[in-house]
Amino acid sequence: RPMQTEGAMTKPAPPTGRASTASPCISICRMDIDTGWCVGCLRTLDEIACWSLLDDTEKEGVCAELSRRRVAWRLLRKAEPSADEGRAA
């Protein structure tokens, strides 16, 4: 939070009454080499690294993109051959 200054004293600015956008991290942190997305939260390394620097509007933009990525992620996973395909019966 920004700091307010009163004379020689510095204190945190009063809360805005609105909670900051929570991180989408679900503690399954492994990068998919094909997409460049974390398999847990679907963010890129840049999005993960910069998360704490983004304002709420930027975080909400990333979260909107993650919704689109979830759809793509499901389609990509359905298109992959299963581990059992190609085995002799």
Side-chain angles (χ1 to χ4, degrees):
R1 270 190 305 193
M3 303 298 267
Q4 287 184 333
T5 315
E6 287 181 8
M9 300 287 295
T10 302
K11 63 180 182 177
T16 60
R18 185 168 171 239
S20 180
T21 304
S23 170
C25 179
I26 59 170
S27 299
I28 302 174
C29 306
R30 192 175 73 244
M31 300 308 290
D32 180 82
I33 196 163
D34 295 325
T35 62
W37 302 337
C38 170
V39 299
C41 67
L42 301 181
R43 290 181 292 170
T44 65
L45 284 175
D46 284 343
E47 291 166 340
I48 293 166
C50 293
W51 185 261
S52 64
L53 304 174
L54 301 177
D55 63 29
D56 280 341
T57 302
E58 293 167 320
K59 288 177 181 179
E60 290 166 6
V62 171
C63 289
E65 179 60 29
L66 297 180
S67 294
R68 292 185 283 274
R69 285 181 195 163
R70 276 186 205 94
V71 172
W73 183 257
R74 288 183 194 118
L75 292 172
L76 286 169
R77 295 300 155 233
K78 284 183 180 180
E80 289 180 352
S82 71
D84 293 332
E85 284 184 25
R87 289 187 183 172

